[in-house]
Amino acid sequence: MAQRTRFDWRGQDIISIRDLSREQIEDVLNHAQQIRPDPQMLVGKVMASLFFEPSTRTQLSFTTAMHRLGGRVIGFSGTEGTSIVKGESLQDTVRTIERYADVIVMRHPLEGSAQFVADTVTIPVINAGDGANQHPTQTLMDLFTIKKFHQRLDDLKIGLVGDLKYGRTVHSLAIALTRFRKIELRLISPPNLRMPPAILKELAGIVPYSETAELDLRDLDVVYVTRIQKERFPDIEEYEKVRGAYVINLKACEMLKPSAILLHPLPRVDEIAPDVDALPHAKYFDQVQNGVPVRMALLKLVLVGS
Ligand code: CP
């Protein structure tokens, strides 16, 4: 039997995890848990996949999700071959695309661009990453994965490791965790890549956190590792100073408690050694796989509701 929802998702934009309550997050995760391929569900619907920045997982999992529900996909990956290279504005581009599609999934380097597009068009917009700001659908699949392996989203000690300054996945995830109880955060980063003060302000009084540069993985239930976001550094010399700051190798994993899970939004460069993949802690490819049901659920909810 189809999962019901008590929320009015149809036509909704998914721009920031800030817009979702705990109950709404749980609703998406419950739908993701129940959803199965259905070639009729989104038949006749078109998703516009607008990737102004590179992507493997987000772009292909949204496309897979749409295909598994019987919908079709149009779009581009990089602006070459589009009229943007002739100087067409983002505004005119999306005003055109809304005449062809039922939903826009967009990744763009500018923070706030997803909200701008949502304010411009009348069809729902799903933010697939806007600069260093937000990646809400990644967070939903991160939470789905944590719940799958720990059977809960409360009462967890979570370490966020790496580039906490520019990493949009950790910004979204940290904010999402304010919706849950008894969460403790350990923020592990080089001093110049600490979590932005604006996000720490949102955590204050809700989620206790500590900040450290030491790769201390003891007592954590979840270790969420991120890549240093080279493309966001204004000065490449600053990147070179922190490149390879943390490497989760077999030795580092000796600190993990047996039930701890290792997550990473991927792509990784060198921050998790390949031989760690064989450890039972390594769940980042399960995390990747969970992107499909979570995005199937989101597309179903915003396009047809319950
Ligand atoms: N996690 C993530 O957003 O991966 P892609 O950049 O490959 O989409």
Side-chain angles (χ1 to χ4, degrees):
M1 200 174 76
Q3 173 86 10
R4 306 297 298 176
T5 178
R6 61 194 172 92
F7 297 102
D8 186 11
W9 289 103
R10 194 169 173 173
Q12 289 298 309
D13 302 312
I14 308 291
I15 304 299
S16 168
I17 204 74
R18 288 184 184 88
D19 302 333
L20 302 184
S21 65
R22 174 183 183 134
E23 291 72 26
Q24 288 171 313
I25 290 171
E26 288 176 336
D27 195 43
V28 175
L29 303 191
N30 289 339
H31 275 81
Q33 186 67 43
Q34 306 263 338
I35 203 156
R36 298 289 178 270
D38 177 348
Q40 294 305 316
M41 188 177 279
L42 297 184
V43 75
K45 301 288 186 191
V46 175
M47 179 186 95
S49 171
L50 312 184
F51 279 73
F52 292 80
E53 273 195 339
S55 166
T56 298
R57 279 145 289 271
T58 311
Q59 185 187 14
L60 295 181
S61 61
F62 264 114
T63 298
T64 304
M66 200 64 184
H67 288 173
R68 289 199 178 154
L69 296 177
R72 291 178 182 270
V73 181
I74 61 170
F76 53 79
S77 177
T79 55
E80 195 181 340
T82 75
S83 286
I84 296 160
V85 294
K86 300 179 207 163
E88 187 167 36
S89 67
L90 178 60
Q91 188 174 41
D92 282 0
T93 300
V94 296
R95 285 177 70 193
T96 301
I97 287 161
E98 73 168 329
R99 305 295 175 118
Y100 311 144
D102 301 286
V103 59
I104 288 175
V105 173
M106 188 181 81
R107 172 171 291 184
H108 195 283
L110 282 182
E111 295 186 21
S113 53
Q115 186 61 59
F116 172 78
V117 171
D119 293 341
T120 302
V121 301
T122 55
I123 60 173
V125 176
I126 300 179
N127 182 6
D130 60 328
N133 186 31
Q134 281 277 305
H135 196 348
T137 69
Q138 176 72 45
T139 296
L140 291 166
M141 59 194 258
D142 297 341
L143 295 173
F144 187 89
T145 308
I146 293 170
K147 190 165 183 195
K148 178 176 173 188
F149 289 108
H150 282 300
Q151 287 80 48
R152 65 186 195 277
L153 289 170
D154 295 305
D155 191 18
L156 290 164
K157 285 189 181 146
I158 299 178
L160 305 181
V161 181
D163 184 351
L164 307 187
K165 179 176 181 181
Y166 295 117
R168 58 191 167 206
T169 61
V170 282
H171 299 164
S172 290
L173 181 57
I175 293 163
L177 292 170
T178 64
R179 308 291 190 259
F180 298 93
R181 291 186 293 272
K182 291 182 69 182
I183 301 290
E184 285 181 40
L185 275 181
R186 190 176 303 157
L187 305 174
I188 302 169
S189 73
N192 57 340
L193 294 179
R194 286 164 63 174
M195 189 65 90
I199 304 236
L200 295 180
K201 209 169 153 188
E202 290 186 63
L203 299 178
I206 304 172
V207 173
Y209 64 85
S210 58
E211 294 184 279
T212 178
E214 189 192 340
L215 187 64
D216 177 6
L217 308 181
R218 291 168 298 172
D219 305 324
L220 295 170
D221 299 300
V222 179
V223 176
Y224 192 100
V225 186
T226 62
R227 178 177 64 91
I228 309 278
Q229 308 278 303
K230 179 181 180 182
E231 65 277 22
R232 309 254 179 255
F233 280 67
D235 179 353
I236 195 68
E237 283 182 21
E238 290 304 308
Y239 167 74
E240 292 297 340
K241 284 182 200 160
V242 288
R243 181 182 177 173
Y246 301 109
V247 178
I248 311 289
N249 52 23
L250 292 176
K251 180 79 186 155
C253 288
E254 288 174 11
M255 282 185 267
L256 294 172
K257 63 184 195 182
S259 61
I261 60 170
L262 258 181
L263 301 182
H264 191 310
L266 304 179
R268 71 174 148 183
V269 181
D270 50 13
E271 56 281 347
I272 300 181
D275 51 7
V276 169
D277 299 358
L279 296 182
H281 306 288
K283 302 299 184 195
Y284 25 91
F285 285 101
D286 297 272
Q287 191 182 357
V288 163
Q289 190 173 336
N290 293 336
V292 176
V294 167
R295 289 167 174 143
M296 285 166 74
L298 282 170
L299 288 167
K300 179 233 173 193
L301 287 168
V302 304
L303 286 169
V304 298
S306 58

